[in-house]
Amino acid sequence: MRALPRLALAALTALATVAVVSATADAAADPTPITVLTSDFEDGTVQSWAGRSAETLANSTTVAHGGAASLLVSGRTATWQGPSLNVLGTFEKGTAYTISVWVRMASASDNARLSVERRTGGVAAYDQVVGNTAVTSGAWVNLTGRYTLATDVEFLRVYVETASTTGDFHIDDVTASYVPALPIQTDIPSVKDVVTEFPVGAAITGAETVTQHGQLLTKHFDSVTPGNALKWDATEPTENTFTYAQADPLIAFAKANGLAIRGHTLVWHNQTPSWVFTGADGQPMTATAEDKTLLLARLENHIRNVAAHYGTDIGVWDVVNEVIDESQSDGLRRSNWYNVAGLDYIRTAFRVAREVAPHAKLYINDYNTNVAAKRDFLFGLVQQLKAEGVPIDGVGHQVHININWPTVADTESMLTKFIPLNIDQQVTEMDVSIYTSSSESFPTPPADRLLKQAYVYRDMFALFRKYQGEVTSVTLWGLADDNTWLDTYPVARKDAPLLFDTTLQAKSAYWGVVDPSKIGTSPSVSPSVSVSPSTSTNPGTGSCAVTYRITGSWPGGFQGDVKVANTGSAALTSWKLAWQFTGGQQISQLWGGAHTQSGAAVTVSNAAWNGSIAAGGSTSFGFLGSWTGSNPVPAAFTLNGTACTVL
């Protein structure tokens, strides 16, 4: 995976994120969140919060984020000490909770983290919900992240800690909420059944193996890649102490469901504990013979243990990850690995991996290989190492791209470059960001971005299928938009880079892969759907036409899609659509516009980005609603006060 800032290094079952949103008729919006806990400390107590050690917790009126009180944590003697709250009876396995806490230092500054401690059979594990975030005494800072409990536990507590100091700090206005899950669509084609030229996989955490996520994963994908659970910090946090608590459940799930497994990654310059690069003298390693010998010995020991632990369960390994830096004259990343051991760390890693896992395909993996300079350096390195007899079986292309970059031609050049080496190629970490720069941020993903994303997926998969003899698998870096590293990288904002939206419903991006002829249609059809035709007893007399469709229906709820067409000769600069429900339906959430409802009367106004409708053009919006008894289609619509034809 591409190098992440500290904030973005999320733990196995957690992903730091901004507010969870989804938009437009292309992706189903989240229903109203249900709050399961709040702590505002306005009652003068600590509201069941407790210290993790001997620190002191007290209600304080010195500062407050909301109201008049907060919780003060003082007397800390270690950075890991801080306020914690028991959520064992509150959080349910398989439900994704959004946890929010406001933090403020009492003095000075530090980095704060939001985490969860869980215990099973007396063994503790720690999941980071939000990574290091700068906090000062001058203002409140919000830590918001998503957490899904993926295993049975006997102990579960949310807590706040700091990174560097033991200073006093306050917390306030803590909430945890979840969005009710929609059933996955069982009546749409499985990706793996349509794309048969190579296996299609997804990167997973524990959250992707339970409830609807697990159902979606097994329906659509052939293989999985544990995103963080096999990295060095997860498997050997202290020297020669190996733990597989994060990875074992993922591997077991994959085996039980017939999913192939890609191992990621044995060697990387990130997420490697500092002790790995600390010499026998306790000082940071340098390019001495003694330090090099020790470093390579640690590397060999790590690979022999981790690769041997999984044996033939893992058939592909990303042995080394992200070793190219095209800004260097020789193209080699000046990591601690390289600075101490030169290329010998790569030679050692592949040699040992081949000895321990002779059955496995061994890969060198990197990002931006569609960039000419980077792929040329990678090509040269692989060519050199193979000539030396280093057992490299394949090159992994991460393909973290966006809706405007790169071109199909650049990507094709990436693939054709390596054909002369007679090695396998795999797309290992694909996603398509809706953003084209770090300065952009959308409250909801715009329809045009999602549509463009669908065509990018269409064209890229068409290219990969064209080279099916060279490309031996494609893995998406995530399952659905509710859990993506791009929510925090390169800046914190909600992205939507995958095939399924935050409610696990198929997007146009999915249809771009499965059936491009359906791009732009409403793809979010839920299982057990009752689809109703849109008919009207009032043909209308104005210069507008409306298509109203019920695209999904389940007990007590439904999803609607409304298309508004300008059939007149003049462009519209804004619009307001009105209708009456006749069955007591109520809209709970709407995307692609803003709505009001008074009794049966509904009015939807355009969003900022879709107010203009050219003559002959159209726009659309979608919504979730509730119904009881019956769910009839509205008989008439008006646009800016004029009656429309209902199609």
Side-chain angles (χ1 to χ4, degrees):
M1 183 170 140
R2 187 173 179 177
L4 306 182
R6 178 72 179 178
L7 175 60
L9 299 182
L12 169 69
T13 58
L15 178 69
T17 184
V18 295
V20 178
V21 293
S22 183
T24 77
D26 186 81
D30 291 342
T32 303
I34 296 175
T35 300
V36 296
L37 72 83
T38 59
S39 293
D40 58 12
F41 308 108
E42 294 302 304
D43 62 358
T45 74
V46 299
Q47 296 184 348
S48 300
W49 286 77
R52 304 186 71 213
S53 183
E55 64 271 48
T56 300
L57 272 61
N59 191 280
S60 171
T61 56
T62 304
V63 293
H65 172 258
S70 64
L71 182 70
L72 173 64
V73 186
S74 60
R76 302 166 63 231
T77 59
T79 59
W80 57 267
Q81 295 175 1
S84 72
L85 181 68
N86 178 22
V87 292
L88 180 61
T90 304
F91 286 9
E92 296 183 359
K93 186 172 72 171
T95 297
Y97 294 93
T98 297
I99 309 172
S100 172
V101 56
W102 290 87
V103 184
R104 180 171 179 165
M105 299 300 296
S107 62
S109 62
D110 203 339
N111 282 297
R113 295 191 290 260
L114 175 64
S115 302
V116 170
E117 179 182 0
R118 54 187 167 85
R119 298 177 191 170
T120 303
V123 178
Y126 304 91
D127 300 324
Q128 193 173 102
V129 181
V130 181
N132 283 353
T133 305
V135 179
T136 70
S137 60
W140 289 93
V141 174
N142 184 233
L143 306 183
T144 300
R146 185 186 289 259
Y147 180 78
T148 302
L149 178 65
T151 60
D152 294 323
V153 296
E154 72 248 1
F155 179 100
L156 191 69
R157 298 188 75 92
V158 175
Y159 66 93
V160 179
E161 60 184 342
T162 56
S164 305
T165 71
T166 58
D168 300 350
F169 65 85
H170 298 260
I171 67 169
D172 199 4
D173 293 335
V174 184
T175 63
S177 61
Y178 71 94
V179 173
L182 295 178
I184 72 164
Q185 298 149 284
T186 58
D187 55 352
I188 59 175
S190 298
V191 174
K192 63 184 180 182
D193 292 339
V194 175
V195 182
T196 58
E197 292 84 354
F198 41 72
V200 182
I204 63 169
T205 69
E208 278 72 55
T209 65
V210 290
T211 59
Q212 286 90 344
H213 288 82
Q215 297 168 20
L216 188 71
L217 178 65
T218 56
K219 172 175 172 56
H220 289 285
F221 295 98
D222 299 291
S223 69
V224 297
T225 300
N228 287 298
L230 288 171
K231 291 174 181 173
W232 201 308
D233 58 351
T235 54
E236 192 185 3
T238 58
E239 187 163 12
N240 212 34
T241 300
F242 292 90
T243 174
Y244 305 101
Q246 292 186 27
D248 276 357
L250 305 187
I251 304 303
F253 177 88
K255 291 175 62 179
N257 289 279
L259 299 169
I261 304 159
R262 295 192 82 261
H264 178 82
T265 175
L266 294 173
V267 187
W268 191 27
H269 60 275
N270 275 340
Q271 289 181 252
T272 302
S274 59
W275 65 262
V276 177
F277 305 112
T278 301
D281 59 359
Q283 299 301 309
M285 288 182 172
T286 59
T288 65
E290 179 183 10
D291 282 349
K292 178 178 179 179
T293 298
L294 178 58
L295 181 61
L296 294 181
R298 287 172 174 169
L299 173 60
E300 179 168 350
N301 183 60
H302 179 80
I303 294 175
R304 288 194 182 280
N305 278 272
V306 175
H309 178 77
Y310 292 107
T312 58
D313 290 342
I314 296 181
V316 177
W317 277 103
D318 289 332
V319 178
V320 295
N321 195 45
E322 299 178 0
V323 303
I324 299 297
D325 178 358
E326 65 270 35
S327 68
Q328 300 292 335
S329 60
D330 59 2
L332 296 171
R333 183 182 294 278
R334 295 313 193 256
S335 64
N336 287 334
W337 290 108
Y338 182 82
N339 290 338
V340 175
L343 288 180
D344 282 345
Y345 84 93
I346 300 177
R347 297 182 179 106
T348 299
F350 276 98
R351 173 183 59 81
V352 176
R354 175 64 83 225
E355 292 176 10
V356 179
H359 63 284
K361 292 281 190 177
L362 307 180
Y363 276 72
I364 185 169
N365 189 52
D366 222 313
Y367 64 94
N368 286 2
T369 50
N370 52 276
V371 176
K374 187 149 194 173
R375 68 171 172 259
D376 288 348
F377 279 126
L378 181 59
F379 177 90
L381 175 62
V382 175
Q383 186 177 49
Q384 173 190 340
L385 294 175
K386 283 185 66 66
E388 296 174 0
V390 176
I392 299 176
D393 297 314
V395 169
H397 306 287
Q398 292 187 10
V399 193
H400 295 295
I401 60 178
N402 66 48
I403 57 171
N404 282 352
W405 175 90
T407 66
V408 173
D410 286 339
T411 309
E412 185 166 19
S413 296
M414 171 190 82
L415 298 176
T416 58
K417 177 70 178 182
F418 292 91
I419 291 176
L421 293 180
N422 194 30
I423 58 175
D424 291 342
Q425 299 185 66
Q426 293 188 349
V427 175
T428 58
E429 305 181 16
M430 185 181 184
D431 43 35
V432 181
S433 174
I434 63 171
Y435 295 104
T436 60
S437 73
S438 296
S439 62
E440 292 182 323
S441 181
F442 302 121
T444 57
D448 61 331
R449 297 291 177 109
L450 294 173
L451 186 62
K452 195 166 186 178
Q453 179 189 66
Y455 287 116
V456 172
Y457 269 110
R458 178 198 67 179
D459 295 344
M460 289 297 173
F461 265 78
L463 175 67
F464 301 151
R465 296 169 86 171
K466 174 182 175 182
Y467 286 90
Q468 60 177 295
E470 301 295 331
V471 177
T472 59
S473 82
V474 173
T475 296
L476 301 176
W477 203 245
L479 177 65
D481 288 343
D482 66 327
N483 191 351
T484 168
W485 72 296
L486 291 175
D487 283 348
T488 56
Y489 182 86
V491 296
R493 61 191 176 185
K494 188 74 192 83
D495 209 330
L498 299 164
L499 304 185
F500 301 94
D501 66 21
T502 57
T503 62
L504 311 189
Q505 305 302 292
K507 299 161 52 181
S508 280
Y510 158 85
W511 292 109
V513 174
V514 171
D515 184 355
S517 70
K518 295 184 179 179
I519 292 176
T521 64
S522 178
S524 299
V525 181
S526 298
S528 302
V529 166
S530 173
V531 178
S532 301
S534 297
T535 58
S536 174
T537 57
N538 179 2
T541 59
S543 54
C544 54
V546 174
T547 303
Y548 177 104
R549 294 192 300 170
I550 298 172
T551 58
S553 183
W554 53 93
F558 72 105
Q559 181 175 327
D561 178 272
V562 181
K563 179 181 178 181
V564 182
N566 178 5
T567 58
S569 59
L572 297 175
T573 57
S574 64
W575 53 267
K576 184 176 292 185
L577 187 73
W579 73 85
Q580 296 271 338
F581 276 131
T582 59
Q585 303 99 319
Q586 292 288 317
I587 293 178
S588 59
Q589 193 154 358
L590 183 140
W591 55 97
H595 80 285
T596 59
Q597 182 170 357
S598 176
V602 178
T603 301
V604 178
S605 302
N606 62 271
W609 50 269
N610 67 352
S612 298
I613 309 178
S618 64
T619 189
S620 61
F621 59 89
F623 63 91
L624 294 179
S626 61
W627 63 281
T628 55
S630 64
N631 188 14
V633 172
F637 295 82
T638 61
L639 185 68
N640 296 341
T642 299
C644 298
T645 299
V646 183
L647 302 177

